Amino acid sequence: MISVQTIPPYRKKTVKPKRNRRVLKWVIFFFFVIAIIAFFNTPISRVTDIQISGNHFLADKEIYEQGNLHLNMQYFFLFPSTIEGKLAELKEIKNVKIQKVFPGHVKVSIVEYQPIAFLNNKKNGWLPLLENGYLIQRPLQDQFISGPLITEWKDQEQLTKLADELKKVQPHILEEISEIQQNGQVDDPNRLLLFMNEGYKVHVPLEKLSTNMNLYPSIIENIKDKTMNLGDIYMLESIRFEEFKNSGDQKNEGQ
């Protein structure tokens, strides 16, 4: 007789999850999170030193407050572009650069607008008028004053225009201007009276200050070819020269 052997049915094996590996991943993740938390609570993750350079008109305290900078703040959450944007809102600042140096050092490099003239304020002394037209309300010491002195000025709104014109005057000519006034002789706030280091007085409209004053050297050369006496130089509708009535006449005439 032929014996028939029965083949046992195929049974699909069920794969049991590898719980040990999954548990290991969670343990690693847990310790990784703990390590990050611990790191951000160590001194190495904090700002330990802030160096500010280039500021003359702004105090360090003003820069700290405007940029929301302070020691012990999170170093890795300090974004230079954000702080640069905040500091650029200060009218004294022309350019600013924030540099992070690991670990914990922050360098703030500032370029301020330069003074173009100094306005006489009877209460506060000489106030710097910056090249962007911003008038600083804090006086400087006399030893820091270098530039034209604005002794008489009534229209504060025109200071921006004055600064814009002065910065277009050639530097060697600007150095020759000792004093600036809104001319009190005429009822025209747009007309200026300039006192020059050589002793001449120059009458010029504000809107043509830079254009006309850049002609000053050639005009003086032409005057000196004719006379060595001082006088008034009118750069208005036309250019003309009038000698002072008295050879000793200086600033006080016509003020």
Side-chain angles (χ1 to χ4, degrees):
M1 295 179 62
I2 299 174
S3 61
V4 179
Q5 296 181 352
T6 58
I7 301 174
Y10 173 76
R11 293 182 180 180
K12 186 178 180 180
K13 295 183 179 180
T14 58
V15 179
K16 296 182 179 180
K18 298 182 178 180
R19 294 183 179 179
N20 291 342
R21 184 175 297 177
R22 182 179 298 178
V23 170
L24 180 60
K25 288 181 179 179
W26 279 106
V27 169
I28 293 174
F29 177 75
F30 174 77
F31 281 104
F32 178 74
V33 172
I34 295 297
I36 292 177
I37 295 174
F39 174 77
F40 281 109
N41 283 278
T42 59
I44 198 173
S45 70
R46 302 281 179 168
V47 173
T48 57
D49 176 57
I50 300 176
Q51 298 178 7
I52 302 176
S53 61
N55 56 314
H56 302 287
F57 303 117
L58 288 167
D60 288 357
K61 181 180 179 182
E62 294 175 285
I63 296 171
Y64 286 134
E65 292 176 353
Q66 180 68 21
N68 195 24
L69 290 167
H70 56 86
L71 295 178
N72 208 40
M73 65 188 301
Q74 281 290 346
Y75 177 83
F76 294 98
F77 296 153
L78 186 152
F79 301 105
S81 59
T82 301
I83 298 175
E84 289 170 357
K86 291 180 179 178
L87 293 179
E89 295 175 2
L90 294 172
K91 294 182 179 180
E92 294 89 343
I93 292 182
K94 185 176 184 178
N95 189 29
V96 58
K97 181 69 176 179
I98 306 295
Q99 182 181 6
K100 296 169 63 175
V101 181
F102 187 81
H105 299 284
V106 177
K107 294 183 178 180
V108 183
S109 301
I110 290 174
V111 177
E112 294 177 329
Y113 286 101
Q114 294 300 304
I116 199 74
F118 296 84
L119 176 69
N120 182 30
N121 183 287
K122 294 180 180 179
K123 293 183 179 180
N124 299 323
W126 296 102
L127 305 180
L129 175 65
L130 302 185
E131 56 187 323
N132 64 342
Y134 179 65
L135 182 66
I136 294 179
Q137 297 300 322
R138 297 181 300 274
L140 295 182
Q141 300 298 325
D142 290 346
Q143 60 265 30
F144 294 107
I145 294 177
S146 177
L149 304 178
I150 307 171
T151 55
E152 296 290 339
W153 198 270
K154 297 179 181 180
D155 193 345
Q156 296 287 318
E157 294 182 358
Q158 286 191 307
L159 284 174
T160 301
K161 179 62 177 176
L162 175 63
D164 185 59
E165 285 294 314
L166 287 176
K167 70 183 180 183
K168 291 185 287 187
V169 175
Q170 296 179 27
H172 69 280
I173 300 175
L174 186 64
E175 291 176 357
E176 294 297 318
I177 304 174
S178 64
E179 187 176 329
I180 301 173
Q181 295 181 1
Q182 279 184 322
N183 197 340
Q185 289 182 311
V186 295
D187 188 20
D188 183 3
N190 190 52
R191 183 164 158 178
L192 305 183
L193 176 60
L194 311 182
F195 297 93
M196 310 304 291
N197 289 333
E198 287 184 282
Y200 295 97
K201 295 179 182 179
V202 178
H203 303 257
V204 61
L206 175 57
E207 71 273 7
K208 294 183 179 179
L209 174 62
S210 60
T211 301
N212 290 356
M213 286 307 298
N214 284 330
L215 300 174
Y216 179 75
S218 60
I219 294 172
I220 290 297
E221 184 178 352
N222 184 267
I223 291 173
K224 289 182 177 180
D225 286 341
K226 300 175 181 178
T227 178
M228 294 305 294
N229 292 333
L230 300 176
D232 289 278
I233 302 173
Y234 293 87
M235 298 183 181
L236 302 171
E237 291 81 8
S238 60
I239 298 175
R240 61 187 174 89
F241 172 71
E242 291 184 5
E243 292 184 11
F244 293 140
K245 293 179 180 179
N246 299 316
S247 59
D249 183 23
Q250 292 296 326
K251 284 187 180 182
N252 291 330
E253 178 179 325
Q255 290 189 25

